[in-house]
């Protein structure tokens, strides 16, 4: 690192050789608006107006510095996905748009309806949406229970752009921004707009969207939309069973020999039926320019997601009668082995539903020519988040009903923030603020007499819950020292507290009440930007980030049917990471952009689940601050517009992410971090001819490991995360300016692989879009 800092010092000295004229870069804004400190009402409006005229709206970003900036002027690794990028690809859920971003891992395990999807940046472990902050119009949309994000709830058609900034951003955003920040920015209409869309695809999948927006009296923008999707799905969950020695009278055929991800022999005996789902959402937004330089905006998103399974399939057939077998002890024909105590419940999987409500209120007031004040208040509410599970071992449980359990995990997350932007002269910009975040969640599991009626609960069998809150103070100083050199220095102090924790591990056991705890976290960051040539930019940064444990990790304690006790840990402390990076962006030829970045993350107090050393039986799993890790990576990307009708891009991410220290499992030391691919690459070609636009892309992800000792090395088995490559395409025909007809084919080569679940194979999607 000292070597790189020495290089930066030399670059700063070289920057003084150039003349001191104002910045005159072809890729920047007009000269009179290129300084950092001018924040008058007219200047801010002109920045946006000129950026749209010269570069398109994607050339203004707000996430990296919490102020409007041209990305060429920001010392950070930034990717902007525009609405045109979304249109030309077959993007049906927001996370799919991020799969081609350098350094991003999209962990979608099922087609479309996967409620466990998460997206993580910069190689951090991807057990949930914990270490990458996700915003919707600037508001954190991770739930208070487990930091999960309802990716399917946001209609793609309502998105203006997605800003992705990589690296530690706790200095501005506090916790969860260890790998970076993803900000999904919705549309604000400037004129009357109407969109109607319908699509149909593989697995009897349908989607409908209707949106309308307008600009009234040149002061008020309103927008509303409704989105509905449904799919019959495919049998993604398999049923496995291990054979034992024995030769009972009833003999069966149809089992499929396989093994686990660690090589233990097992057998596939059926599947739980087609995984079907439907979701619908309603969104609204109103933006009011009350006076010059004073704007108030309110937006909301209401979404519901339901999933379930059709009739299961048993692959076992009685050799004597040919009938399907789901119960009893049966012998494997032609062997001396058997399946003991089969029950119909083993072939069943439960239903579930979650409801997400987002409310977001912001105000932006230009008090003076140099002072701007912003306020943001919001709520992420999940009043409904339940799942029903049939008993896998009770002989009374069938597809029609019978004993089971119902789990309910509602949560709320309240957010408020006050920010002040203060210009000092023409070349310095201060940004400071205070934020408050309060989360609550309570999880309860009940036994039910009929798992098909999850609300008809009987005995409370498990319970856990608690609250947390965070108060943050931050200050950022952005200075343009020279036309070729500027810095960003930021620091944030967070006070985190958890309280009200409690749990009941199983029915009949007493409720345990846990003491509260608090912790301070200091997150500084320093970043440099240097422009030795008008077509070349160098950037470097170093910073510290943290993530506080969520309520699930702190308090969720429950006893599995297998007898394993999964425990939260109220003594957890926040994870921390110290990160640095250096990178360059070059535009040597017209239409070409090349970006390269090298980064390192040093993680302390990494939280993950380990075998509880206090339990000599080995049947207790508990969260611990179990280790230290180092993540090193390289991101390379190039885009080239060859002609007006042809554009290409390619990028790759290389990661070396390993555990350095783990007293709870020494076998994991030196091993790869879980759920982090070693390599990814993407490429794409966009061609336009007459009224037709075509897009072809390739996406490769190397193998993921799910066990900290890296023992799950077997591929092509249920539960494995195989390396895979998919080739995807989309053709759009625009017969008239207000109509798009499109046909998409994903996984064109019909590659079969497991991403825990078996892949859906080749899928086809047709769609019609009307715009007025």
């Amino acid at each position: 690192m000292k070597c790189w800092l020495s290089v930066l010092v030399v670059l700063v000295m070289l920057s003084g050789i150039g003349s001191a004229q104002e910045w005159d870069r072809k890729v920047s804004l007009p000269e009179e608006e290129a300084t950092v400190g001018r924040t008058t009402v007219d200047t801010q409006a002109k920045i946006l107006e000129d950026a749209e005229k010269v570069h398109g709206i994607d050339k203004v970003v707000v996430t990296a510095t919490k102020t409007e900036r041209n990305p060429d002027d920001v010392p950070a690794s930034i990717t902007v996905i525009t609405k045109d990028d979304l249109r030309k690809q077959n993007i049906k859920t927001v996370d799919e748009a991020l799969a081609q971003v350098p350094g991003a891992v999209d962990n979608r395990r099922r087609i479309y309806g996967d409620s466990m999807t998460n997206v993580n940046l910069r190689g951090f472990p991807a057990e949930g949406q914990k270490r990458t902050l996700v915003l919707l119009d600037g508001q954190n949309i991770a739930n208070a229970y487990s930091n999960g994000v309802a990716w399917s709830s946001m209609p793609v058609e309502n998105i203006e752009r997605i800003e992705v900034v990589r690296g530690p951003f706790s200095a501005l955003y506090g916790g969860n921004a260890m790998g970076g920040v993803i900000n999904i920015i919705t549309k604000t209409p400037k004129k009357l707009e109407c969109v109607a869309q319908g699509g149909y695809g593989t697995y009897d999948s349908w989607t409908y969207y209707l949106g309308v927006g307008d600009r009234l009296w040149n002061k008020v923008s309103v927008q509303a939309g409704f989105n509905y999707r449904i799919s019959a799905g495919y049998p993604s969950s398999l049923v496995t069973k291990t054979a034992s020695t024995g030769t009972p009278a009833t003999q069966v055929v149809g089992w499929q020999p396989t093994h686990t991800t660690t090589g233990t022999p097992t057998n596939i005996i059926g599947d739980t039926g087609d995984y079907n789902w439907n979701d619908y959402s309603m969104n609204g937004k109103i933006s009011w320019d009350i006076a010059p330089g004073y704007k108030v905006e309110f937006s909301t998103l209401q979404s519901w997601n339901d999933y379930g399974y059709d009739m299961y399939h048993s692959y076992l057939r009685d050799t004597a009668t040919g009938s399907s077998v789901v119960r009893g002890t049966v012998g494997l024909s032609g062997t001396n082995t058997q399946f003991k105590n089969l029950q119909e419940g083993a072939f069943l999987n439960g239903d579930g539903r979650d409801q997400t409500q987002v409310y977001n209120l912001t105000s932006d007031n230009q008090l003076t020519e140099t002072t701007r004040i912003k306020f943001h208040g919001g709520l992420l509410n999940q009043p409904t988040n339940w799942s029903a599970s049939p008993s896998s071992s009770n002989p009374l449980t069938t597809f029609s009903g019978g004993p089971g359990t119902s789990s309910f995990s509602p949560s709320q997350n309240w957010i408020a923030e006050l920010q002040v932007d203060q210009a000092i002269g023409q070349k310095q910009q201060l940004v400071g603020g205070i934020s408050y975040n309060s989360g609550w969640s309570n999880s309860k599991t009940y036994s039910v007499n009929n798992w098909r009626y999850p609300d008809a609960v009987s005995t409370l069998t498990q319970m856990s819950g608690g609250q947390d809150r965070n108060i943050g103070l931050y200050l950022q100083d952005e200075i343009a020292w020279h036309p070729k050199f500027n810095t960003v220095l930021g620091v944030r102090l967070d006070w985190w507290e958890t309280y009200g924790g409690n749990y009941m591990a199983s029915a009949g056991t007493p409720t345990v009440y846990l003491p509260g705890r608090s912790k301070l976290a200091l997150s500084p960051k320093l970043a440099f930007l240097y422009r030795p040539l008008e077509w070349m930019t160098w950037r470097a940064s170093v910073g510290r980030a943290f993530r506080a444990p969520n309520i699930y990790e702190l308090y969720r304690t429950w006893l599995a049917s297998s007898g394993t006790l999964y425990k939260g840990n109220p003594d957890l402390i926040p994870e921390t990471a110290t990160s640095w990076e250096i990178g360059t962006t070059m535009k040597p030829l017209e239409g070409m952009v090349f970006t390269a970045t090298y980064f390192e993350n040093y993680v302390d107090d990494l939280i993950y689940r380990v075998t509880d050393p206090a339990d000599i039986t080995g049947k207790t799993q508990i969260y611990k601050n179990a280790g230290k890790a180092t993540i090193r990576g390289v991101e390379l990307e190039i885009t080239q517009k060859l002609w007006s009708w042809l554009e290409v891009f390619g990028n790759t991410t290389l990661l070396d992410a390993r555990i350095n220290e783990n007293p709870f499992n020494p076998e994991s030391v030196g091993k790869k971090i879980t759920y982090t691919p070693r390599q990814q690459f993407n490429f794409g070609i966009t061609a336009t001819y007459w009224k037709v636009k075509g897009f072809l892309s390739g996406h490769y992800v190397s193998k993921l490991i799910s066990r900290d000792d890296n023992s799950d090395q077997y591929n092509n088995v249920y539960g494995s995360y195989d390396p895979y490559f998919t080739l995807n395409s989309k053709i759009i025909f625009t017969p008239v300016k207000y109509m798009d007809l499109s046909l998409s084919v994903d996984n064109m080569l019909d590659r079969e692989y497991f991403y825990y679940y078996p892949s859906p194979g080749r899928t086809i999607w047709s769609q019609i879009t009307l715009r007025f």
Side-chain angles (χ1 to χ4, degrees):
M1 182 174 177
K2 292 181 179 179
C3 176
W4 287 117
L5 293 177
S6 300
V7 172
L8 287 174
V9 172
V10 173
L11 294 177
V12 172
M13 294 174 62
L14 289 174
S15 69
I17 298 175
S19 61
Q21 75 272 16
E22 290 295 317
W23 302 340
D24 183 24
R25 290 169 288 118
K26 294 180 180 178
V27 296
S28 187
L29 298 174
E31 177 181 344
E32 65 272 21
E33 306 300 343
T35 56
V36 172
R38 297 179 184 174
T39 58
T40 65
V41 177
D42 293 339
T43 298
Q44 290 294 335
K46 197 170 190 311
I47 287 176
L48 296 174
E49 181 182 350
D50 289 340
E52 289 186 63
K53 291 179 180 178
V54 178
H55 302 288
I57 192 65
D58 59 300
K59 284 298 182 179
V60 173
V61 296
V62 296
T63 309
T65 61
K66 288 197 173 182
T67 56
E68 290 88 353
R69 288 287 177 266
N70 186 315
D72 295 328
D73 297 335
V74 179
S77 299
I78 301 173
T79 297
V80 179
I81 303 169
T82 69
K83 60 184 177 182
D84 291 333
D85 295 328
L86 298 174
R87 172 179 173 264
K88 71 183 181 183
Q89 302 182 60
N90 185 28
I91 304 298
K92 292 173 288 300
T93 57
V94 178
D95 62 284
E96 292 179 317
L98 299 163
Q100 294 180 347
V101 173
V105 179
D106 177 22
N107 285 300
R108 174 169 289 278
R109 298 189 298 179
R110 283 190 181 98
I111 185 172
Y112 312 147
D114 184 10
S115 61
M116 302 296 291
T117 296
N118 59 78
V119 179
N120 283 272
L121 301 173
R122 286 282 165 94
F124 281 92
E127 299 98 335
Q129 194 66 58
K130 301 175 183 178
R131 301 173 178 96
T132 294
L133 182 62
V134 182
L135 310 175
L136 180 63
D137 288 328
Q139 177 174 318
N140 182 1
I141 54 172
N143 68 47
Y145 177 54
S146 62
N147 297 130
V149 171
W151 287 100
S152 298
S153 68
M154 295 165 280
V156 175
E157 295 77 11
N158 189 41
I159 296 175
E160 181 67 34
R161 66 186 188 276
I162 305 172
E163 298 178 1
V164 183
V165 292
R166 299 180 290 280
F169 273 88
S170 287
L172 268 182
Y173 292 97
N176 299 93
M178 300 179 77
V181 181
I182 299 168
N183 193 4
I184 303 160
I185 299 172
T186 60
K187 295 177 179 178
T188 301
K190 298 179 181 178
K191 59 182 181 179
L192 179 62
E193 299 175 354
C194 297
V195 178
Q197 188 176 86
Y200 177 76
T202 308
Y203 303 122
D204 198 22
S205 303
W206 294 85
T207 183
Y208 310 92
Y209 176 78
L210 179 64
V212 61
D214 199 2
R215 177 80 168 171
L216 306 174
W217 312 296
N218 202 30
K219 285 183 176 293
V220 180
S221 294
V222 293
Q223 190 277 334
F226 175 79
N227 189 54
Y228 178 70
R229 306 184 307 156
I230 186 170
S231 176
Y234 69 102
S236 58
S237 295
L238 304 181
V239 182
T240 59
K241 183 77 171 176
T242 301
S244 59
T245 304
T247 55
T250 302
Q251 297 285 297
V252 298
V253 294
W255 75 92
Q256 301 174 14
T258 184
H259 49 260
T260 67
T261 59
T262 58
T264 303
T266 188
N267 302 273
I268 298 173
I269 63 172
D271 62 67
T272 60
D274 293 344
Y275 175 75
N276 59 81
W277 57 269
N278 70 85
D279 60 44
Y280 57 98
S281 65
M282 296 179 290
N283 59 275
K285 186 176 186 179
I286 180 168
S287 180
W288 181 18
D289 295 323
I290 297 176
Y294 183 28
K295 180 170 71 173
V296 176
E297 186 172 278
F298 175 77
S299 62
T300 183
L301 174 67
Q302 309 284 322
S303 69
W304 295 260
N305 175 59
D306 294 89
Y307 66 86
Y309 295 82
D310 287 339
M311 185 64 186
Y312 64 83
H313 305 102
S314 172
Y315 303 162
L316 304 179
R317 294 290 182 271
D318 190 316
T319 56
T321 65
S323 60
S324 176
V325 175
V326 296
R327 291 188 180 87
T329 297
V330 297
L332 280 63
S333 179
T335 74
N336 62 348
T337 58
Q338 63 182 350
F339 293 139
K340 295 183 65 177
N341 300 322
L342 281 176
Q343 299 293 344
E344 184 175 348
F347 294 86
L348 304 177
N349 220 327
D351 304 331
R353 171 179 245 212
D354 61 75
Q355 179 185 359
T356 301
Q357 301 171 336
V358 181
Y359 303 96
N360 188 1
L361 175 66
T362 62
S363 69
D364 190 341
N365 189 5
Q366 191 81 40
L367 294 179
T368 69
E369 288 189 351
T370 59
T371 305
R372 188 176 181 182
I373 187 168
K374 304 174 183 177
F375 171 78
H376 165 230
L379 168 65
L380 188 285
N381 186 33
Q382 282 197 326
T384 302
N385 185 0
W386 65 263
S387 61
S389 301
S391 172
S392 61
S393 57
N394 194 311
L396 299 179
T397 300
T398 67
F399 180 77
S400 301
T405 60
S406 293
S407 296
F408 304 85
S409 300
S411 64
Q412 288 183 348
N413 202 4
W414 290 91
I415 301 163
E417 182 174 3
L418 183 67
Q419 176 182 318
V420 178
D421 303 349
Q422 179 64 55
I424 302 176
Q426 295 186 352
K427 297 186 178 181
Q428 186 173 5
Q429 176 81 37
L430 289 175
V431 175
I434 180 171
S435 68
Y436 176 80
N437 187 97
S438 177
W440 164 88
S441 179
N442 189 25
S443 180
K444 295 182 178 180
T445 300
Y446 298 87
S447 61
V448 292
N449 295 323
N450 190 333
W451 65 275
R452 288 293 186 183
Y453 297 93
D455 292 328
V457 300
S458 56
T459 305
L460 178 64
T461 59
Q462 298 164 6
M463 178 181 67
S464 62
Q467 301 181 62
D468 62 13
R469 61 180 165 223
N470 189 95
I471 299 174
L473 295 169
Y474 61 90
L475 180 65
Q476 176 183 270
D477 190 8
E478 186 179 358
I479 305 177
W481 301 94
H482 185 275
K484 292 187 176 182
F485 180 70
N486 66 289
T487 62
V488 176
L489 174 62
V491 64
R492 177 171 172 134
L493 179 65
D494 284 278
W495 177 74
W496 165 76
E497 180 186 30
T498 177
Y499 58 99
N502 63 85
Y503 72 85
M504 184 184 77
S506 60
T509 60
T511 300
V512 179
Y513 295 94
L514 302 164
R517 297 175 53 251
S518 62
K519 190 78 173 178
L520 286 173
L522 186 68
S523 305
K525 186 172 183 178
L526 177 62
F528 304 86
L529 188 72
Y530 174 66
R531 309 174 188 83
L533 300 168
E534 66 179 31
W535 54 270
M536 178 187 294
T537 301
W538 286 87
R539 63 187 181 281
S541 67
V542 59
R544 187 172 175 82
F546 82 100
R547 181 188 76 87
N550 56 48
I551 292 174
Y552 184 96
E553 294 167 323
L554 289 165
Y555 303 124
R556 181 68 166 118
T557 298
W558 55 285
L559 183 66
S561 58
S562 62
T564 300
L565 179 65
Y566 292 90
K567 293 180 65 176
N569 185 355
D571 295 323
L572 292 173
I573 63 175
E575 302 173 329
T576 60
T578 301
S579 307
W580 71 275
E581 71 173 69
I582 186 168
T584 183
T585 299
M586 302 181 185
K587 303 177 181 180
L589 302 174
E590 184 177 356
M592 174 185 287
V593 180
F594 172 75
T595 303
T597 306
Y598 176 79
F599 63 89
E600 293 186 354
N601 304 314
Y602 300 93
V603 188
D604 288 323
D605 298 315
L606 186 65
I607 298 172
Y608 64 95
R609 189 175 271 155
V610 301
T611 301
D612 190 351
D615 183 3
I616 60 174
T617 67
K619 285 194 172 184
T620 300
Q621 296 286 306
I622 188 171
Y623 281 108
K624 289 283 188 179
N625 291 105
K628 296 183 178 181
T630 300
I631 304 169
R632 298 181 174 90
V634 175
E635 298 166 352
L636 302 173
E637 183 174 25
I638 186 169
T639 62
Q640 175 69 66
K641 190 168 186 177
L642 298 172
W643 294 282
S644 61
W645 59 273
L646 185 62
E647 184 176 355
V648 298
F649 83 90
N651 64 60
T652 187
T653 303
L654 305 174
L655 291 170
D656 184 17
R658 297 185 181 274
I659 298 292
N660 297 335
E661 181 181 316
N662 183 1
F664 299 98
N665 185 7
E667 293 183 5
S668 69
V669 176
K671 303 295 176 59
K672 292 188 291 185
I673 291 178
T674 55
Y675 302 102
T676 301
R678 186 171 180 81
Q679 182 182 10
Q680 293 186 98
F681 71 77
N682 301 281
F683 67 83
I685 303 171
T686 304
T688 305
Y689 175 73
W690 186 52
K691 297 182 179 183
V692 178
K693 174 174 285 190
F695 181 76
L696 179 69
S697 66
H699 178 60
Y700 170 78
V701 179
S702 62
K703 182 175 178 59
L704 271 64
I705 298 297
S706 61
R707 297 171 63 96
D708 62 355
D709 61 0
N710 290 190
S711 60
D712 52 328
Q713 293 292 330
Y714 285 82
N715 294 331
N716 300 313
V717 296
Y718 187 52
S720 67
Y721 292 85
D722 300 340
Y724 70 89
F725 171 79
T726 58
L727 194 64
N728 310 313
S729 64
K730 183 176 182 178
I731 296 177
I732 304 172
F733 174 55
T734 308
V736 290
K737 65 179 182 179
Y738 58 82
M739 177 187 290
D740 284 348
L741 303 174
S742 66
L743 179 67
S744 306
V745 183
D746 289 344
N747 193 5
M748 296 175 63
L749 304 179
D750 200 19
R751 295 289 179 88
E752 295 182 0
Y753 60 91
F754 283 84
Y755 206 71
Y756 190 90
Y757 301 104
S759 66
R762 182 188 296 114
T763 59
I764 300 174
W765 189 261
S766 59
Q767 187 167 278
I768 179 171
T769 305
L770 303 175
R771 291 184 174 89
F772 303 97

